[in-house]
Amino acid sequence: MSNPIGMRRNLAGYGDAGFSIFLRKAFIKALGYSDEALDRPIIGIVDTDSGYNACQRNVPDLIEAASRGVMLSGGIAIPFPVISIQESFAHPTSMYLRNLMAMDVEEMIRAQPMDAVILLGGCDKTVPALMMGAASAGVPAILLVSGPMLAGSWRGERLGACTDCRRFWGRYRAGELSDEQINEVNSELAPTIGSCGVMGTASTMALATEALGMMLPGGACVPAVHAERRRLAERTGARAVAMAAERLTPDKILTPAAFTNALRTVLAAGGSTNALIHLTAMAGRLGIGVDLAGFDRIARETPVLIDLKPTGQGYMEDLYHAGGLVPMLREIAPLLDLDCMTVTGRTLGENIAAAPTSFKQDVIRPFSNPIYAGGAIAVLRGNLAPEGAVIKQAAANQALLQHTGRAVVFSSLADLAARIDDPALDVTADDVLVLQNAGPKGAPGMPEAGYIPIPKKLLQQGVKDMVRMSDARMSGTAFGTIVLHISPESAVGGPLGLVRNGDRIKLDTAGRTLSLLVDDRELAARLKALPPAPSGEGRRGYERLYFETVTQAEQGCDFNFAMPKITTTIP
Ligand code: FES
C-alpha cells in the first residue's frame, strides 16, 4: 500500500502485509481499542518518565493532557518508552549516553506505526537526544518540554539549581557555611519537579528549540508545575494531529536558517556553551555543519538580553512572567530569519506577530541596553586549540579574560580530585588550572568537569575565580573564566595533553587566541612520548561503539555514522 497511515505504517516483516496488519490489530485490541479508534491517525508520544528523573517527572501528566488534545482533534495517542537520562544519575556522564538515547528515539519512531510524534522531555541531554533522533527519523515531530522548576528560598535568599548549587558548595568548601546550613540549602535547591530553573543547558535548549520552530510559541518557559504547562500539552497534542495531515516533517523546519536563529537565541539568552555542541549534533543529523568562526562572528553581533543566572540574576519563572521567549525574539528580530517554518504551520515571524504584545518588565533587556554587549561566547584558536575552544566570557571575570599564567596541570579527573585541595599544591591565584583527559574519549563522555574547583587554600584566601581550561564541558549553570571544549582533546593527541606544570599559557580572549608558550621542538618531543589514543579495542557493547565512532566537540560529539555528509555550513 502506498503512503500508508495509522496502524498500517511500518508493518512487521512477515512477508504478508495483510497478515501483518491482521496480527498487529489483534494485539492492540488486547488493550481495548475498537476498529474505529484504530482507523484514526496515530500520534506517538515519547515517554521519558523515570523515577530517577525529577527534571521531567510531570511527563505522565503531560502525556495525559497531550493525549486529550490528540483525541479532541480526531487522532489516537500512543505513548511509548525510551531511555531517560538525568544529569546526576548517569555514570560516567549523561553525555556518554546522549547518543544512545538518540538512537533509541530514532529507531522507535521509525519502527512503530505513528503519523506524527510528540517529543516529551526536559533534562539537559533529553531534549538534544529527542531532537537528534526525530531529525533522523523524519516523521512529523513536535517538542514539548517538561518546563522549569520553581525557585527555592533559604533564609530570605532566592536560590535554585544549579548555579546556586555551585555557589553555595563553594562557600561551604571555603568554610563559610556549616554542615547544617549546607544541608538546609540542599533541600531548597530543587523545590519542585522540573528542569533546572536558571539559564543552564536545559533552559537554553528549551529556548533554542522554540526558536528553531519545533515547539509551540511560549512553550519553553512555562513552569513544570503550572496548569498552563498542561494546557500547552493539550494544544501540542492537537497540533500534532494537524502536522500529521500536513506531513510537516522536521526537515521542513530544521533548515540552516532555523539553526542560525537558534544559535542567535542561545547567545542573546546568555545560554549554555553546551547548546553549541547539541545544536551542532542536531544540525549534523540534517547534513548541516556549524562553523566555529561563523559562530564567533554572530556572537559578536548578538547582545545578551536575558537577566537570568548565571550571567544575570533571575530564574526561569521570572522569564515566564516577563512574557517568555517572544519578547526577546522581538528585540533581536533584525538578526533573525523570520521566514522559517515552524510546527504551527506558520513562520517564526507570523508566530511572533500573533503572540501577546510585550509589556514593560525588567528581565528581558532592550537591544539598546544589554546585560553584555556582544560575544557572550567567544571561540578561541591557537597552538593549544587548533580545532577550537570556547569561553563564556559573559559569565567570566572580565579582568581575567586577558591573562598569561603558569600552568598547574591535572592529568585526569581522578588526579584533580586527589590533589586540588592538597595544602601542599603549588598554586597561586595567577596560575592557570589545566585539566587533561576529560574530553569525549578521555573521560569518557566529556563530563561537565570544566568548572574546575578553586583550590581550597585559595578559596580560604578569598579567591573567587581563576583561569581554568580543559577539553571538558561545563554545566550551563556554572560561571568563571573557564575555557572549554579544547579540540582536539588531549586523549587523542591534542596539544592540551602536552602541557606540563610550569609552562606558560596565554589567554587572549580579545584576540580569540589560546597559546601554549612552549617552542615547537619541545612540543614535538612531548607528542612522541604520549600514550596511544583510547580505542574500541578490548571493549564491548555500547562502550566499543562509543570509542570507535564518537566525534570531537566541534562536530557535536555525535557518532560519525549517525550523520549524513555535511552539505551546508552555518552560520
Ligand atoms: Fe535535569 Fe538540570 S539536572 S535539567
Side-chain angles (χ1 to χ4, degrees):
M1 184 184 295
S2 67
N3 207 16
I5 65 156
M7 276 293 147
R8 288 170 178 76
R9 287 174 66 99
N10 303 337
L11 293 175
Y14 294 108
D16 176 346
F19 179 68
S20 293
I21 186 65
F22 174 74
L23 200 60
R24 173 174 283 177
K25 287 180 81 168
F27 279 105
I28 200 154
K29 282 179 176 177
L31 295 171
Y33 289 103
S34 65
D35 282 312
E36 188 204 5
L38 295 175
D39 280 341
R40 293 180 173 206
I42 297 173
I43 309 302
I45 304 181
V46 182
D47 179 357
T48 52
D49 183 33
S50 162
Y52 290 104
N53 202 337
C55 308
Q56 48 204 54
R57 200 63 169 108
N58 55 347
V59 162
D61 288 347
L62 297 179
I63 288 176
E64 183 188 322
S67 299
R68 186 167 63 244
V70 170
M71 295 278 285
L72 286 169
S73 299
I76 182 166
I78 304 187
F80 62 97
V82 297
I83 297 167
S84 188
I85 305 170
Q86 204 277 350
E87 289 301 293
S88 51
F89 286 90
H91 177 81
T93 71
S94 58
M95 189 67 173
Y96 176 74
L97 297 169
R98 183 200 65 180
N99 297 350
L100 180 65
M101 181 175 172
M103 290 169 72
D104 184 3
V105 170
E106 176 183 348
E107 297 307 329
M108 287 299 99
I109 294 174
R110 218 194 282 286
Q112 301 170 128
M114 60 193 80
D115 300 295
V117 61
I118 297 171
L119 310 168
L120 259 181
C123 195
D124 292 17
K125 304 304 173 298
T126 311
V127 167
L130 289 167
M131 290 289 299
M132 290 161 70
S136 295
V139 170
I142 183 167
L143 179 69
L144 175 66
V145 292
S146 54
M149 65 176 69
L150 299 181
S153 172
W154 182 69
R155 301 191 179 191
E157 186 177 353
R158 283 178 96 199
L159 75 178
C162 232
T163 303
D164 298 315
C165 312
R166 296 170 207 288
R167 189 164 60 84
F168 277 94
W169 187 248
R171 288 180 58 188
Y172 174 65
R173 290 181 73 243
E176 294 173 20
L177 262 62
S178 67
D179 288 353
E180 188 188 352
Q181 287 173 321
I182 194 69
N183 202 37
E184 288 172 13
V185 168
N186 189 259
S187 300
E188 279 296 316
L189 285 166
T192 72
I193 58 163
S195 53
C196 288
V198 297
M199 190 53 72
T201 305
S203 303
T204 307
M205 291 310 300
L207 296 180
T209 43
E210 183 177 332
L212 261 177
M214 287 296 291
M215 190 192 295
L216 289 182
C221 299
V222 185
V225 295
H226 277 208
E228 175 59 14
R229 173 64 52 197
R230 282 143 190 80
R231 289 191 287 269
L232 190 63
E234 187 182 295
R235 295 199 295 276
T236 300
R239 185 57 205 152
V241 177
M243 288 176 70
E246 295 161 9
R247 296 275 202 267
L248 186 50
T249 45
D251 57 309
K252 294 174 183 145
I253 297 170
L254 299 175
T255 59
F259 278 106
T260 303
N261 285 344
L263 290 170
R264 294 259 193 209
T265 298
V266 169
L267 291 160
S272 163
T273 46
N274 287 325
L276 178 57
I277 291 183
H278 296 317
L279 285 169
T280 301
M282 287 156 51
R285 292 298 181 106
L286 293 148
I288 303 166
V290 176
D291 173 53
L292 285 178
F295 178 73
D296 188 78
R297 178 178 50 76
I298 66 164
R300 290 174 190 262
E301 301 164 357
T302 312
V304 179
L305 300 182
I306 296 187
D307 189 8
L308 256 58
K309 292 186 175 187
T311 47
Q313 290 307 313
Y315 295 87
M316 280 296 277
E317 64 189 81
D318 304 324
L319 181 58
Y320 171 58
H321 293 304
L325 177 64
V326 167
M328 191 206 84
L329 294 179
R330 288 192 175 120
E331 291 295 327
I332 62 166
L335 301 176
L336 299 174
D337 185 332
L338 299 174
D339 293 331
C340 292
M341 178 49 60
T342 74
V343 290
T344 62
R346 301 189 301 259
T347 64
L348 180 65
E350 288 168 336
N351 288 345
I352 292 172
T357 48
S358 305
F359 49 88
K360 190 166 165 19
Q361 41 74 41
D362 54 10
V363 178
I364 306 161
R365 297 274 191 92
F367 196 95
S368 55
N369 180 28
I371 306 280
Y372 198 84
I377 300 173
V379 175
L380 309 170
R381 283 185 195 274
N383 72 341
L384 194 45
E387 298 301 331
V390 299
I391 182 168
K392 188 174 180 180
Q393 51 176 343
N397 179 345
Q398 303 301 298
L400 288 174
L401 289 173
Q402 304 295 123
H403 184 81
T404 301
R406 187 184 65 139
V408 175
V409 180
F410 301 92
S411 61
S412 66
L413 290 167
D415 183 35
L416 176 71
R419 294 195 297 119
I420 189 71
D421 287 340
D422 184 344
L425 183 69
D426 179 14
V427 65
T428 73
D430 288 335
D431 291 336
V432 174
L433 302 181
V434 175
L435 173 62
Q436 300 168 326
N437 294 304
K441 289 190 180 180
M446 206 177 180
E448 291 186 338
Y451 183 73
I452 301 169
I454 305 291
K456 202 175 210 167
K457 68 181 188 184
L458 297 182
L459 268 181
Q460 287 166 345
Q461 293 167 20
V463 176
K464 299 274 190 252
D465 194 10
M466 293 174 68
V467 175
R468 292 162 268 178
M469 54 188 62
S470 71
D471 43 15
R473 296 176 302 114
M474 174 173 88
S475 166
T477 62
F479 45 89
T481 313
I482 298 175
V483 179
L484 303 157
H485 310 179
I486 291 179
S487 181
E489 63 174 308
S490 47
V492 302
L496 183 70
L498 308 180
V499 184
R500 300 289 176 260
N501 278 323
D503 289 348
R504 307 281 295 170
I505 292 177
K506 183 177 179 185
L507 168 65
D508 173 10
T509 310
R512 300 295 195 261
T513 59
L514 185 63
S515 310
L516 178 57
L517 306 179
V518 174
D519 73 58
D520 290 347
R521 267 208 315 226
E522 169 64 17
L523 292 179
R526 290 183 191 178
L527 184 61
K528 281 189 191 147
L530 280 186
S535 70
E537 192 72 28
R539 305 176 200 269
R540 55 161 298 283
Y542 178 72
E543 185 184 28
R544 183 173 188 128
L545 182 70
Y546 181 91
F547 272 92
E548 287 182 347
T549 63
V550 74
T551 57
Q552 294 289 290
E554 71 277 9
Q555 294 169 285
C557 301
D558 199 0
F559 292 152
N560 56 18
F561 62 83
M563 300 181 286
K565 191 171 169 352
I566 298 295
T567 53
T568 316
T569 300
I570 56 159

